[in-house]
Amino acid sequence: MSISLDYTNMMTDAVGTEYGVSDEEITGFIAQTKGIHQHIQERRDSGELPFFDLPHNLAAIDEILTLAKEIQADFDDLIVLGIGGSALGTTAMFKALCYGHNFQSKEQRGGLPRLFVLDNVDPDGFATHLALCDPAQTCFLVISKSGTTVETTSQFLVARQWVEESVGGVFCDHFVLITDPENGVLRELADREGYRSCAIPAGVGGRFTAFTPVCLLPLACVGVDISRLLKGAADFSRFVCHGDLETNPAYLNAVLQYLAYQKGLRTSVLMPYSDRLKDIADWYRQLWAESLGKKFSTDGAILHVGPTPVSALGTTDQHSQVQLYMEGPFDKVVTFIAVGEFDQDLKLPDYEASPEMFYLAGHTMGELIRVEQLATAAALVRNQRSNCTIHIPMVTPETVGALIYLFEVQTLFAGYLFDVNPLDQPGVEEGKLFTYALMGRQGFETKAEEYASIKAHLRSRILSCK
Ligand code: PA5
């Protein structure tokens, strides 16, 4: 497995001195990197950053595989109920490693269940998915670290009733609760009502749960070799768990992104050239946004900092977004993910009737998508637009595990550079509290008054088109 970070097009000699990064700027971070790395090591040693060691924890796999076998034997459909970090990793890795799985017949799937990840409370979306499944043949993974997330709670309530109406008293067998090992409503329910459950290791926050049962259980159920996924991350750790900036792609990319941000390139686009990796960009978008978008520095000063992550797909978004990236404001840095080889490639055949198409004959579709990525990168350079490329040889459990791990470490390191805590998300709390208040939850009466007072002080401006 050979993964590389090509940052040629981030440099001053490629895109000019205004937005490009110089060698001196990078080497200026060498000493700071050693200090940060030392601090990360100390925190790891004291158990403060358990996500780092998850890929090495092969002992956890056995329990997951046993449970996955039971689910595979008993159910046709598997539905994940969860949101944010409890959903995006599974969606990303499912698409990457089981592309087209749900479109296959049961026979083509080798009898494995279909997997749906429902991460919203849009009643249309939710009801439509339930209607695709038979309650007697459906298993739900209810995933919430806190156990209190309103979206997941309400999904669970609807699903539980739906299953109970079909199978009666044995409805508990259709649910597996994945939550905190000790605390929260879901843990309490599991203990009291006898639901099967898995623990999210203590200290691992939602968006860093890719290598926990949150993602590993659903992926194992649909046949992903989760030991290969973990091995990919574990093997890759030797490249990203050392303090030498110039040879650590996670630290180096964090520094490059940070320098780009300082130069005004505040939008960070992740653009895989692979349908299978499309949702990895969505997963990363949450990781980068929720971890780095912060009001306060680590010592409480007001910063209002954070790059805005955007996910795009090559080549599709060449015909949607790239015009803006080329000629719009100088505020973006693009990271491509390029895939060396596709599982299936398609030869572009000769078609004598049309000489205009001759140039394509004999090439392959895989070659075309690779060339288009190179062409877009070069065109961006021509327009002084900073970009870099992460190359992976193929989409496999190992490379996906490595990519996820790379981005997790990069994000943690970037937290130090931006001087924010990348492991919390205080900004999403306020909206949650108002939601509880508006849904009449006991204990949130003051919040309801606060909401009413905000509304009362606003002069309403609504343009209705009746
Ligand atoms: O990354 C995070 O911590 C969040 O995105 C959470 O995963 C999300 O808010 C869901 O929280 P919970 O797992 O507690 O339901």
Side-chain angles (χ1 to χ4, degrees):
M1 174 172 68
S2 153
I3 292 182
S4 63
L5 169 69
D6 180 346
Y7 58 103
T8 312
N9 299 344
M10 294 292 289
M11 306 303 287
T12 48
D13 48 14
V15 291
T17 50
E18 199 171 352
Y19 301 106
V21 170
S22 67
D23 287 313
E24 295 68 35
E25 282 175 303
I26 294 176
T27 50
F29 278 88
I30 287 177
Q32 191 187 348
T33 297
K34 288 198 190 314
I36 295 174
H37 180 71
Q38 171 75 20
H39 195 247
I40 290 175
Q41 280 305 117
E42 285 162 12
R43 289 173 72 195
R44 279 183 74 174
D45 293 344
S46 68
E48 230 188 286
L49 297 172
F51 85 85
F52 257 107
D53 299 306
L54 293 169
H56 302 280
N57 184 11
L58 296 178
I61 285 188
D62 288 344
E63 194 193 333
I64 292 171
L65 290 178
T66 306
L67 192 47
K69 278 206 182 88
E70 289 171 20
I71 292 170
Q72 288 167 351
D74 293 343
F75 299 102
D76 286 343
D77 287 314
L78 181 61
I79 299 185
V80 166
L81 306 180
I83 196 164
S86 293
L88 289 161
T90 300
T91 300
M93 291 188 271
F94 176 53
K95 184 176 254 177
L97 301 173
C98 300
Y99 195 70
H101 177 91
N102 286 353
F103 297 108
Q104 294 175 330
S105 67
K106 193 171 174 184
E107 204 178 27
Q108 288 169 321
R109 298 195 307 269
L112 296 172
R114 294 185 296 180
L115 172 63
F116 301 102
V117 181
L118 304 189
D119 62 354
N120 203 355
V121 286
D122 174 341
D124 271 344
F126 200 72
T128 301
H129 280 89
L130 290 190
L132 290 175
C133 306
D134 169 1
Q137 290 299 328
T138 303
C139 178
F140 289 88
L141 305 184
V142 187
I143 307 180
S144 176
K145 169 92 179 171
S146 61
T148 53
T149 303
V150 65
E151 292 87 351
T152 312
T153 305
S154 58
Q155 291 177 324
F156 170 58
L157 292 175
V158 173
R160 194 196 63 84
Q161 186 185 47
W162 184 68
V163 174
E164 192 180 16
E165 280 169 2
S166 164
V167 304
V170 294
F171 70 85
C172 274
D173 299 347
H174 290 245
F175 291 85
V176 178
L177 312 187
I178 304 180
T179 189
D180 190 86
E182 286 173 6
N183 302 311
V185 186
L186 288 183
R187 175 55 53 199
E188 205 186 295
L189 259 187
D191 294 345
R192 204 179 56 227
E193 307 264 306
Y195 292 99
R196 286 177 287 182
S197 70
C198 292
I200 302 174
V204 181
R207 53 195 179 275
F208 289 87
T209 54
F211 303 123
T212 73
V214 168
C215 299
L216 297 181
L217 179 60
L219 293 172
C221 289
V222 292
V224 172
D225 188 338
I226 56 172
S227 55
R228 287 179 59 192
L229 190 74
L230 294 183
K231 187 174 182 318
D235 286 351
F236 198 66
S237 68
R238 71 178 193 277
F239 298 110
V240 294
C241 295
H242 63 79
D244 174 23
L245 175 63
E246 287 164 299
T247 57
N248 181 329
Y251 290 0
L252 183 58
N253 204 24
V255 165
L256 291 167
Q257 297 288 324
Y258 177 72
L259 284 169
Y261 181 88
Q262 297 303 338
K263 293 169 192 286
L265 309 182
R266 299 193 161 199
T267 300
S268 164
V269 179
L270 184 63
M271 189 167 184
Y273 272 64
S274 156
D275 286 345
R276 292 170 62 181
L277 297 181
K278 180 176 187 288
D279 290 340
I280 293 278
D282 279 355
W283 166 82
Y284 171 77
R285 189 175 57 156
Q286 185 226 6
L287 182 70
W288 201 238
E290 214 163 81
S291 301
L292 302 179
K294 298 286 154 74
K295 177 174 177 181
F296 295 109
S297 71
T298 48
D299 56 9
I302 291 187
L303 285 180
H304 292 296
V305 79
T308 300
V310 167
S311 63
L313 175 68
T315 62
T316 308
D317 286 323
Q318 285 180 201
H319 300 267
S320 158
Q321 297 291 298
V322 166
Q323 167 64 32
L324 174 71
Y325 303 169
M326 288 292 170
E327 296 187 352
F330 282 86
D331 61 356
K332 292 172 200 64
V333 50
V334 179
T335 303
F336 298 108
I337 304 179
V339 176
E341 221 182 292
F342 293 82
D343 271 11
Q344 314 167 64
D345 206 349
L346 298 171
K347 200 157 185 203
L348 304 177
D350 206 350
Y351 184 29
E352 280 172 12
S354 174
E356 285 302 304
M357 297 178 186
F358 268 170
Y359 73 100
L360 292 171
H363 294 284
T364 70
M365 208 175 260
E367 196 183 343
L368 177 61
I369 196 168
R370 282 190 296 271
V371 161
E372 293 211 44
Q373 187 272 318
L374 294 173
T376 305
L380 284 171
V381 168
R382 174 60 68 82
N383 285 281
Q384 290 86 50
R385 307 293 168 144
S386 301
N387 66 90
C388 60
T389 304
I390 297 170
H391 290 274
I392 65 167
M394 277 187 96
V395 179
T396 64
E398 288 84 357
T399 55
V400 169
L403 255 189
I404 297 262
Y405 199 66
L406 166 73
F407 285 134
E408 286 183 346
V409 177
Q410 177 184 312
T411 303
L412 180 81
F413 188 83
Y416 281 91
L417 300 175
F418 283 98
D419 190 21
V420 297
N421 177 3
L423 305 178
D424 68 4
Q425 56 285 327
V428 290
E429 283 308 307
E430 194 73 30
K432 279 190 194 173
L433 300 182
F434 280 138
T435 302
Y436 291 149
L438 294 176
M439 292 301 277
R441 184 168 172 185
Q442 222 183 353
F444 291 83
E445 296 76 9
T446 322
K447 218 61 207 166
E449 284 164 22
E450 212 182 296
Y451 178 84
S453 137
I454 293 175
K455 295 295 282 180
H457 285 90
L458 296 175
R459 204 180 114 214
S460 188
R461 293 174 172 87
I462 300 172
L463 174 62
S464 291
C465 304
K466 287 193 179 151

